[in-house]
Amino acid sequence: MGSVRVCLRTWLRLSLICVTALSSNLAVVAKMYRKPNIVLILTDDLDVAIGGMTPLNKTRKFIGDAGISFTNAFVASPLCCPSRASILTGKYPHNHHVINNTLEGNCSSLAWQKSQESATFPLLLQKLAYYQTFFAGKYLNEYGNPEAGGVEYVPPGWDYWFALEKNSKYYNYTLSVNGKPQRHGQNYSQDYLTDVLASVSLEFLSYKSNYRPFFMMVSTPAPHSPWTAAPQYEGRFSDIKAPRDPSFNVHGKDKHWLIRQAKTPMTNSSVEFLDDAFQKRWRTLLSVDDLVEKVVKNLEARGELENTYIMFTSDNGYHTGQFSLPVDKRQLYEFDIRVPLLVRGPNIKPNQTSPMLIANVDLGPTILDMAGININQTKMDGISFLPLMNGQSNSSSWRTDMLVEYEGEGSNISDPACPLLGPGVSECFPDCVCEDSYNNTYACVRTVSTSTNLQYCEFDDSEVFVEVYNLTADPFQLTNIAKSIEQEVLEKMNHRLMMLQSCSGQSCRTAGVFDARYKFDPRLMFNDHGPHISRLHQALK
């Protein structure tokens, strides 16, 4: 009998331990399950300033109308790879060191892999919050380059990986499917990339674990060139032309030399080219709209929509004819740096619009905040805007400025099609109008506050060229007021730019020039940056 009591006591003790352990595990699982799911849909070259959101009726309905739309969302650099690196790392380009779309410019290079990919927000979601992570689409422009591991390389932080080899395409491409190449041809039903991304996204939602929260990033090729629409949308928007806004086909005579070299008025062939490109871009977006609808409806059918944040944005804007530049990005102006940003999710009231200044370096911190991760434990430069969306933050305490920086590219040899231009320029099409050059290198402070809507930019060129715009009075940036603005404002903006260009982490989130918390000390300008200021003042005389 005694032995039976001992056995029973042992069994009860073990049972209690098991029940306690099981309860503990269930509590952990329950806590994990309560964490929100997160979906980020990233488009490629989608502007907001010249009507890029117009074709996206479903996207505006299912995300914007169901949540919040930010009217002042900007990118830290108006080019694919630097901007995408900023999204993934939450850092400005001067901290992640991706300067252009080439391997030499650190785009998906071995150096990038060693120094930055170990701290991207998907990896932190996976490690710190037990999220299952899924990626589909365009990653970084040089991803899959044999010199950087090829398509066999899968960046850390991703459980499921369906990444496009190199740059945007719609047909005849290769996907890395968890490190194995999957080649696609030009059969619409099997290969059209935007639809393929929609299909694999829905597959993930069906086979993922239901006991862990998920992060899903879908990165579409649209509306990036070559602007190949799905067959059913080929005839759409045939009567649409690129917007003839006040900056369209206008000579930027007071702007930096690259803008001044554009031919005004544009040739008829250039106008026809950009109008055609505008129509084709819109057509590609209709498939993105279908993708958004499919993802939202699938989440709704699964009963997961109410616990899922869905974010929609772009890596940069675009222009078609502004200041007589035919088609591209890479410039400091609103049409290239301003992007759409729509978010829906738990505790976000529908039909909201926010004028608060958001940078794409804020996406990573915000997503981590959604997952309950303390962003102060990271080295990210951005700020979480989650409190703005759920009403827990006072807008008066929000940042008033952000940094935009870009390092221009130019060929060392003359373009054979445009020999008279000489070396140092690139992207010279059509009619030998160049969209970029080696000294198209600039840094800007973009300021948005209750009293000020201002942009201040300096170029790293022989002129130390400066451009300043009051966007309240001049929303199309037609007039550069650098030589007429008050000297004190000029000096403050110059000082703030230097602070942001040298910032890292917390110091990037300090108060801006037009924030009451900001204290301007001109001695810092002259003691630490004397030569720079001297050159600046000489250039403005």
Side-chain angles (χ1 to χ4, degrees):
M1 179 68 73
S3 62
V4 172
R5 287 196 187 109
V6 170
C7 289
L8 181 61
R9 204 162 41 238
T10 303
W11 179 82
L12 289 172
R13 187 181 300 116
L14 290 172
S15 298
L16 182 60
I17 292 172
C18 290
V19 168
T20 303
L22 180 61
S23 300
S24 177
N25 288 336
L26 288 173
V28 170
V29 169
K31 185 177 180 181
M32 296 310 306
Y33 188 73
R34 285 197 302 270
K35 283 184 177 292
N37 307 308
I38 306 165
V39 176
L40 172 61
I41 299 173
L42 179 66
T43 52
D44 197 346
D45 288 1
L46 177 60
D47 65 273
V48 71
I50 58 171
M53 287 298 296
T54 304
L56 293 163
N57 294 319
K58 298 172 185 176
T59 301
R60 286 183 279 112
K61 173 186 175 181
F62 288 117
I63 305 179
D65 294 350
I68 187 168
S69 299
F70 288 93
T71 57
N72 285 309
F74 296 89
V75 295
S77 188
L79 187 63
C80 300
C81 205
S83 179
R84 289 164 183 267
S86 286
I87 291 171
L88 289 165
T89 63
K91 296 178 181 179
Y92 284 119
H94 69 266
N95 286 329
H96 62 59
H97 309 297
V98 178
I99 61 173
N100 58 43
N101 289 342
T102 68
L103 207 61
E104 296 75 20
N106 205 26
C107 181
S108 204
S109 67
L110 292 175
W112 153 267
Q113 294 170 15
K114 292 177 181 177
S115 64
Q116 300 298 327
E117 278 189 331
S118 60
T120 60
F121 77 82
L123 180 61
L124 297 176
L125 284 175
Q126 190 187 61
K127 287 176 59 178
L128 302 180
Y130 201 52
Y131 272 68
Q132 51 194 323
T133 56
F134 168 90
F135 181 87
K138 176 178 173 179
Y139 182 59
L140 300 174
N141 295 56
E142 285 294 325
Y143 170 76
N145 190 309
E147 296 181 31
V151 295
E152 294 76 21
Y153 171 72
V154 177
W158 300 103
D159 295 308
Y160 305 94
W161 181 251
F162 295 82
L164 177 67
E165 179 186 33
K166 297 193 175 180
N167 206 359
S168 288
K169 292 182 179 180
Y170 299 82
Y171 292 112
N172 299 308
Y173 56 87
T174 297
L175 288 179
S176 170
V177 179
N178 297 318
K180 295 181 180 180
Q182 183 185 90
R183 292 176 178 82
H184 286 259
Q186 50 188 16
N187 182 320
Y188 168 69
S189 63
Q190 298 176 4
D191 302 315
Y192 188 70
L193 182 55
T194 307
D195 290 356
V196 169
L197 299 182
S199 295
V200 297
S201 297
L202 299 185
E203 286 177 17
F204 166 72
L205 292 176
S206 68
Y207 64 60
K208 66 175 177 61
S209 167
N210 291 325
Y211 300 101
R212 293 171 59 192
F214 69 84
F215 169 70
M216 183 167 75
M217 182 171 178
V218 186
S219 181
T220 74
H224 194 286
S225 62
W227 312 312
T228 308
Q232 67 269 29
Y233 298 132
E234 279 290 350
R236 298 288 297 275
F237 310 123
S238 296
D239 58 342
I240 298 294
K241 292 184 177 181
R244 269 50 171 175
D245 60 34
S247 65
F248 182 85
N249 209 4
V250 169
H251 187 235
K253 58 182 181 297
D254 59 2
K255 294 169 172 50
H256 63 105
W257 79 269
L258 190 63
I259 305 300
R260 298 196 301 266
Q261 59 87 39
K263 298 173 183 177
T264 306
M266 292 182 286
T267 63
N268 289 337
S269 61
S270 285
V271 174
E272 290 173 4
F273 174 80
L274 67 87
D275 279 339
D276 183 59
F278 191 86
Q279 294 170 9
K280 289 178 177 177
R281 282 165 49 79
W282 272 22
R283 290 170 188 150
T284 67
L285 288 170
L286 296 177
S287 294
V288 176
D289 220 23
D290 292 340
L291 180 153
V292 170
E293 180 184 36
K294 290 174 184 176
V295 169
V296 171
K297 287 190 172 181
N298 185 281
L299 288 167
E300 186 175 31
R302 297 177 59 82
E304 296 180 304
L305 183 59
E306 295 307 309
N307 192 42
T308 302
Y309 290 102
I310 306 177
M311 313 174 80
F312 180 91
T313 190
S314 177
D315 57 2
N316 49 255
Y318 208 72
H319 58 256
T320 52
Q322 284 65 41
F323 301 126
S324 298
L325 297 172
V327 289
D328 198 50
K329 50 261 185 171
R330 306 170 211 260
Q331 299 301 326
L332 57 91
Y333 309 106
E334 294 288 282
F335 40 75
D336 285 356
I337 65 172
R338 186 189 287 269
V339 292
L341 177 59
L342 287 60
V343 189
R344 68 171 292 168
N347 301 316
I348 299 178
K349 295 179 180 178
N351 298 306
Q352 291 188 78
T353 301
S354 172
M356 295 297 101
L357 179 64
I358 306 296
N360 66 346
V361 296
D362 300 331
L363 292 173
T366 302
I367 290 170
L368 294 180
D369 196 10
M370 290 170 174
I373 298 172
N374 184 354
I375 61 171
N376 291 324
Q377 296 176 348
T378 75
K379 296 181 179 179
M380 293 184 173
D381 302 333
I383 314 169
S384 169
F385 54 89
L386 180 60
L388 289 178
M389 296 190 289
N390 58 25
Q392 295 180 359
S393 174
N394 185 343
S395 60
S396 63
S397 63
W398 190 249
R399 69 137 79 85
T400 59
D401 60 17
M402 60 160 288
L403 176 68
V404 179
E405 47 192 351
Y406 177 71
E407 187 163 332
E409 290 182 73
S411 175
N412 292 326
I413 58 174
S414 298
D415 186 336
C418 307
L420 297 179
L421 296 175
V425 293
S426 62
E427 307 296 324
C428 300
F429 67 91
D431 296 323
C432 293
V433 174
C434 301
E435 298 277 1
D436 205 5
S437 67
Y438 75 94
N439 63 353
N440 182 39
T441 296
Y442 56 83
C444 306
V445 181
R446 185 66 178 88
T447 299
V448 177
S449 71
T450 54
S451 61
T452 307
N453 191 0
L454 191 71
Q455 185 180 30
Y456 172 93
C457 302
E458 291 182 22
F459 280 81
D460 184 11
D461 58 17
S462 59
E463 297 178 283
V464 197
F465 200 81
V466 177
E467 296 190 31
V468 184
Y469 298 98
N470 177 354
L471 284 102
T472 301
D474 180 22
F476 294 98
Q477 297 168 290
L478 300 176
T479 305
N480 178 8
I481 59 173
K483 294 185 179 180
S484 61
I485 196 170
E486 295 88 345
Q487 191 66 22
E488 182 183 6
V489 173
L490 200 65
E491 290 176 351
K492 285 183 177 181
M493 296 301 289
N494 169 258
H495 177 51
R496 181 60 178 158
L497 178 60
M498 288 187 287
M499 289 177 64
L500 283 171
Q501 281 187 282
S502 60
C503 78
S504 179
Q506 181 64 42
S507 62
C508 297
R509 309 171 208 152
T510 58
V513 169
F514 294 95
D515 190 310
R517 296 167 295 170
Y518 177 82
K519 303 301 178 184
F520 174 62
D521 185 352
R523 293 172 298 178
L524 294 176
M525 296 169 58
F526 294 97
N527 289 346
D528 296 344
H529 306 283
H532 180 84
I533 277 290
S534 175
R535 291 176 66 209
L536 171 64
H537 286 182
Q538 288 174 6
L540 291 175
K541 288 180 180 177

